[in-house]
Amino acid sequence: MAKQSTYTERDVSWMYFNHRILQEAEKTNVPLLERLSFLGIYSNNLDEFFRVRVASLNRLVDNDNLSERNRKAIKKTLKTVNRLNEDYSSEYTKAIKEVFAQLEEHHIRLLKESQLNDEQKEFLKRLYYDKLNGSTNPIWLNAIDDLNTLEDNRIYLVVKKTHTDGDHKVKYAIIKVPDRVYGRFIRIPQSDGFDNIMYLDDVIRFCLPLIFIGTKPSTYEAYSFKFTKNAEMEVDNDSDYGAMEKIALGVNSRKRGEPIRVIYDKDMPRDMQKRVFDRLNVRELDTSLAGGRYQNHRDLMSFPDCGHSELKFEKWQPVMKPEFLAEESILDQIRKKDRFIHVPYHSFDAYIRLLREAALRPSVKEIKTTLYRLAKDSKVVKALICAARNGKKVTAVVELMARFDEESNIKWSKRMQEEGVNVIFGVEGLKIHSKLLYIKTTKGDLACVGTGNFHEGNARVYTDYLMMTARQGIVSEVAKVFDFIDRPFSPMRFKELLVSPNSMKTRILRLFDMEIKNAQMGKPAWVKIKINHITDQDVVNKMYAASRAGVRIDALVRGNCSLVPGIEGVSENIHIVGIIDRYLEHSRILIFCNNDKPRYFIGSADWMPRNLVNRIEVLTPVYDEDMKKDLMRTVDFGLHDTTNGRIVDGCGTNEIQKVKEGEEPFRSQEELHKAYNNYEHSRY
């Protein structure tokens, strides 16, 4: 029997994670439209994964300086990723067919262009002339030397146009589907008691004779494809441009990246496939996947509900905690006692209230914050601008390298600069991923440390904690982090905060060492963790050492997990659960037993080399007893989840935790929602 590996490659573990999302879409007790949404999330995740991670692996393989041993390892990873992708793709196609078949039982159906009645045909003709006419512009394929010049991650139709006037001449054209303008799904007139929906792709197929009107009479065939480019930006650090201009140029370079993945309709004729592939310069290690009739399934996240609210999750309204509704100043309340919110169970408007009050209070002299991702209509930025207009000194540290949000961050940065906010673009070579707010006042300074972005949109679907405190030790060190950002490689020591790349990793390892020492002395020793990713080899090895010493480790890990639990003599004391549910599990919580005097931490960092070495991250200790209880409850609820909690075993099995005899199935997010709403029947 082969020896079990003690380390799962990061990218393979990511495939296991994304498969958990697909498995959620396959559960029959999940509402149908939510199942469609999970299918969309799965597809969107996969696109980004290939644009970023697979692109990076392909570049490494092409690097002449790479050792042959590492080259073989990367090729093995790529082979495993592609095999899993193919396996999951078949599963995905089956799930989509099943969900749409069940939607028909609820009188919602998809129609193709060949299934229309006269009323629906007239409707689509009017739609074409009213809207689509100027947005469906064919380009002859023989006029395009390189399809890489086209925008990636968009749906394209390759059209075969065959003349019917006797010469039977064939011409090929490419049409970009304008889904970002009109949406992917078009509702058309009802028939036979059904709400009818068409893919925009099929609407264009129906309209092809209108699109090519004025050319020779023809018959038409159209097949879809999409391609994914390398998403890593080439930023010229040696140029004379400023930081913002460099990133803007880098975004443009992303648009010119090489394609690394092509998905196409499996029914596309071979000669048409060849024409498309030749113009995409598909290479050996790139992924070409024959799929179904439709691509870009991320759009399933916005599938029309046609008024069928019963096919979606019941809405859970976020709770506004009483202290944020009180007339008393929230700044004064924080000085008396630490405050916190846990979104989306709590309303993010609580944080907006804090910013707005800080913008208005004469006692507030200065505000500093880090901004990693920003909402399109950011209330956070508007509050900062309000503060600047009111004479406060406002500094916003904006991370321009927040992947896929660079353009949005650039836009808001310019707006803030115009309004008098001092905008800092972070540190070259170190992403600023920490979630911090510092408020300087004449009555005593305050700080906020969070686990997630100050982003209203994320706060509706990401689970994150935000701690607000006036504890001098923490507040002064948050201010010190901003000094560290100004002088990133200067020696600075932090006593309260764990800061990377300064000393966070070392101190995390020491916390494990303390548990190991306690276990060896026969004292209570355990660790409870909620985190997104664990891939750092040193941390994994330290967790194995703790397990061998008898330290019980229970972890909630949403995404990548290179640690393999349950290996005899290595990790039998480690239990890991991954939860996929209506909210994306995003908070980072660390609890160390400390001889039954538990130490609590929250913050922005996952246990990956990039977070511990290549980013500015912050973890803060938690001292408030109410918040400690809340954190422990959140972790314990997740560890006991027998509805959406899947066992992470390093093999991708993803089995749901079994319900213990005599107990009812337990869904952690639902029970947290009940608890925060003071439901009498909440349990645990």
Side-chain angles (χ1 to χ4, degrees):
M1 183 175 176
K3 184 179 179 181
Q4 185 174 359
S5 174
T6 59
Y7 190 85
T8 303
E9 285 297 327
R10 164 186 171 178
D11 299 296
V12 174
S13 74
W14 186 93
M15 292 295 291
Y16 297 156
F17 146 69
N18 206 37
H19 189 216
R20 292 199 286 276
I21 297 173
L22 175 55
Q23 289 171 315
E24 195 64 21
E26 295 171 306
K27 287 167 66 173
T28 56
N29 62 336
V30 173
L32 282 174
L33 292 175
E34 302 296 348
R35 291 174 67 184
L36 273 186
S37 183
F38 280 121
L39 289 167
I41 293 168
Y42 174 88
S43 179
N44 186 51
N45 285 353
L46 202 60
D47 286 341
E48 183 172 329
F49 176 70
F50 272 86
R51 291 179 77 191
V52 178
R53 287 301 303 167
V54 174
S56 297
L57 294 177
N58 278 324
R59 279 201 313 278
L60 283 172
V61 166
D62 288 341
N63 191 325
D64 293 335
N65 296 322
L66 191 71
S67 70
E68 192 55 35
R69 179 182 177 183
N70 287 337
R71 196 185 312 278
K72 285 182 179 179
I74 292 171
K75 285 185 175 181
K76 181 181 178 182
T77 297
L78 283 168
K79 185 176 181 180
T80 302
V81 165
N82 288 333
R83 175 180 57 78
L84 291 171
N85 184 38
E86 203 166 322
D87 292 345
Y88 298 161
S89 178
S90 301
E91 196 175 327
Y92 187 88
T93 301
K94 181 181 176 182
I96 282 184
K97 289 180 179 177
E98 180 181 304
V99 172
F100 277 121
Q102 291 183 31
L103 279 175
E104 289 204 23
E105 296 176 11
H106 292 269
H107 297 277
I108 300 173
R109 67 180 176 185
L110 284 170
L111 291 184
K112 297 179 183 178
E113 73 278 11
S114 59
Q115 299 173 305
L116 305 174
N117 61 29
D118 290 341
E119 180 190 7
Q120 291 158 349
K121 290 177 181 177
E122 285 302 314
F123 173 85
L124 291 182
K125 287 178 183 177
R126 289 197 305 272
L127 178 69
Y128 175 76
Y129 285 117
D130 291 344
K131 294 183 178 179
L132 298 179
N133 189 18
S135 303
T136 48
N137 302 303
I139 303 173
W140 297 116
L141 191 57
N142 60 12
I144 307 174
D145 293 327
D146 187 355
L147 286 174
N148 299 342
T149 58
L150 301 179
E151 185 180 1
D152 74 331
N153 261 17
R154 300 297 302 272
I155 313 138
Y156 293 92
L157 292 178
V158 55
V159 180
K160 183 178 182 180
K161 182 178 184 292
T162 307
H163 294 173
T164 57
D165 62 354
D167 65 3
H168 300 295
K169 184 177 180 180
V170 174
K171 297 192 75 174
Y172 295 91
I174 298 287
I175 298 177
K176 180 166 69 175
V177 177
D179 56 302
R180 293 184 186 174
V181 180
Y182 304 106
R184 188 70 186 285
F185 300 102
I186 305 296
R187 290 188 67 176
I188 63 174
Q190 293 179 330
S191 60
D192 306 319
F194 282 87
D195 288 305
N196 297 313
I197 297 169
M198 286 185 74
Y199 271 97
L200 183 58
D201 320 25
D202 288 335
V203 171
I204 293 173
R205 286 184 172 98
F206 171 79
C207 293
L208 285 173
L210 301 176
I211 292 171
F212 287 94
I213 197 166
T215 64
K216 288 189 176 183
S218 303
T219 59
Y220 300 93
E221 299 174 50
Y223 302 89
S224 67
F225 74 94
K226 77 168 183 179
F227 59 95
T228 303
K229 289 182 184 178
N230 174 350
E232 288 299 310
M233 295 188 303
E234 297 174 9
V235 179
D236 181 6
N237 290 318
D238 296 323
S239 73
D240 294 328
Y241 297 109
M244 196 185 311
E245 288 77 10
K246 286 182 184 180
I247 303 304
L249 289 170
V251 171
N252 289 331
S253 78
R254 170 182 291 160
K255 295 172 182 175
R256 299 192 300 270
E258 294 181 354
I260 56 162
R261 178 171 175 250
V262 184
I263 303 179
Y264 61 95
D265 186 339
K266 65 180 181 303
D267 293 328
M268 185 186 293
R270 286 295 183 102
D271 64 321
M272 192 181 283
Q273 285 180 38
K274 188 175 186 307
R275 290 171 187 270
V276 171
F277 285 11
D278 284 350
R279 284 167 172 79
L280 284 171
N281 301 315
V282 177
R283 303 179 307 164
E284 178 186 354
L285 285 174
D286 297 332
T287 301
S288 302
L289 187 64
R293 179 180 174 94
Y294 309 105
Q295 318 307 334
N296 254 28
H297 294 296
R298 62 170 292 173
D299 299 304
L300 294 173
M301 289 187 277
S302 56
F303 191 84
D305 63 16
C306 301
H308 288 264
S309 57
E310 78 279 5
L311 300 182
K312 303 183 81 172
F313 285 134
E314 175 191 356
K315 285 190 176 181
W316 291 350
Q317 293 297 332
V319 175
M320 180 65 90
K321 297 181 75 175
E323 58 263 42
F324 296 98
L325 293 171
E327 292 185 8
E328 183 185 358
S329 161
I330 191 62
L331 299 179
D332 291 342
Q333 291 186 67
I334 294 169
R335 290 189 186 98
K336 296 175 185 176
K337 173 182 166 54
D338 290 352
R339 307 291 174 174
F340 72 92
I341 56 173
H342 184 193
V343 296
Y345 306 104
H346 293 143
S347 173
F348 186 72
D349 283 342
Y351 180 68
I352 300 299
R353 174 183 165 173
L354 171 65
L355 285 181
R356 285 176 176 163
E357 185 176 321
L360 296 174
R361 291 287 293 272
S363 60
V364 173
K365 300 303 179 184
E366 186 174 0
I367 299 172
K368 294 182 179 181
T369 189
T370 57
L371 299 173
Y372 190 73
R373 298 189 191 278
L374 291 167
K376 287 184 178 179
D377 188 31
S378 176
K379 294 179 182 178
V380 171
V381 171
K382 289 177 180 178
L384 295 174
I385 289 172
C386 177
R389 286 175 174 171
N390 284 330
K392 320 296 182 188
K393 183 179 179 182
V394 181
T395 300
V397 181
V398 180
E399 179 48 72
L400 291 180
M401 293 292 285
R403 183 173 284 125
F404 304 126
D405 279 328
E406 299 93 352
E407 290 178 281
S408 173
N409 288 4
I410 289 171
K411 181 197 78 171
W412 278 118
S413 296
K414 289 179 178 178
R415 172 76 187 281
M416 285 190 286
Q417 286 176 328
E418 291 167 358
E419 297 288 352
V421 175
N422 176 32
V423 178
I424 298 173
F425 297 122
V427 180
E428 193 164 318
L430 288 175
K431 270 192 180 182
I432 299 175
H433 192 248
S434 51
K435 324 299 183 185
L436 303 175
L437 173 72
Y438 170 73
I439 301 174
K440 184 177 183 62
T441 86
T442 57
K443 295 182 179 180
D445 301 344
L446 299 90
C448 298
V449 182
T451 68
N453 305 309
F454 299 127
H455 186 301
E456 301 95 295
N458 286 0
R460 287 192 286 270
V461 290
Y462 286 32
T463 68
D464 275 306
Y465 275 91
L466 179 62
M467 184 183 82
M468 309 168 188
T469 185
R471 294 177 188 270
Q472 186 177 359
I474 293 175
V475 175
S476 63
E477 290 198 355
V478 167
K480 199 173 176 181
V481 173
F482 285 100
D483 293 337
F484 181 66
I485 290 170
D486 281 339
R487 303 186 299 278
F489 297 102
S490 57
M492 288 193 183
R493 298 187 66 181
F494 295 89
K495 180 180 177 182
E496 293 280 4
L497 301 181
L498 280 64
V499 179
S500 71
N502 188 290
S503 60
M504 180 185 289
K505 181 174 177 178
T506 302
R507 291 178 65 182
I508 287 171
L509 296 178
R510 284 178 186 167
L511 286 164
F512 274 106
D513 284 335
M514 181 59 69
E515 297 303 320
I516 292 170
K517 181 179 178 182
N518 286 341
Q520 291 170 340
M521 295 174 64
K523 297 179 180 179
W526 49 259
V527 180
K528 293 186 179 183
I529 305 160
K530 184 178 184 299
I531 204 163
N532 292 328
H533 310 292
I534 300 177
T535 64
D536 185 88
Q537 185 76 65
D538 293 331
V539 174
V540 169
N541 289 339
K542 186 64 72 173
M543 293 174 74
Y544 286 153
S547 174
R548 285 192 293 266
V551 179
R552 173 70 183 183
I553 301 174
D554 291 294
L556 297 170
V557 182
R558 188 195 83 228
N560 302 334
C561 184
S562 295
L563 185 147
V564 183
I567 303 175
E568 186 177 352
V570 178
S571 57
E572 64 264 50
N573 289 316
I574 302 176
H575 175 64
I576 300 180
V577 178
I579 295 173
I580 303 295
D581 203 340
R582 66 189 296 165
Y583 297 146
L584 183 139
E585 298 286 337
H586 192 253
S587 53
R588 291 93 167 181
I589 303 168
L590 312 180
I591 311 174
F592 292 86
C593 174
N594 191 38
N595 193 23
D596 277 345
K597 297 175 183 176
R599 299 184 68 184
Y600 291 73
F601 299 87
I602 66 164
S604 60
D606 294 310
W607 289 348
M608 304 178 76
R610 71 182 189 188
N611 302 93
L612 301 175
V613 178
N614 298 320
R615 292 185 175 185
I616 294 178
E617 305 269 15
V618 172
L619 292 168
T620 181
V622 176
Y623 296 113
D624 181 78
E625 293 301 323
D626 290 336
M627 188 172 181
K628 286 181 181 180
K629 290 176 184 176
D630 201 274
L631 293 171
M632 182 64 82
R633 179 177 65 184
T634 294
V635 175
D636 281 343
F637 273 25
L639 292 171
H640 287 84
D641 195 317
T642 52
T643 301
N644 293 71
R646 296 182 182 271
I647 298 170
V648 176
D649 60 4
C651 304
T653 308
N654 291 340
E655 290 184 3
I656 291 180
Q657 294 193 109
K658 289 183 171 57
V659 181
K660 293 181 181 178
E661 188 174 346
E663 293 186 359
E664 294 292 322
F666 188 87
R667 182 183 174 198
S668 58
Q669 290 190 3
E670 182 177 23
E671 295 301 325
L672 281 171
H673 167 70
K674 290 177 181 178
Y676 286 124
N677 282 272
N678 297 316
Y679 283 36
E680 290 183 6
H681 55 285
S682 65
R683 63 190 175 83
Y684 174 65

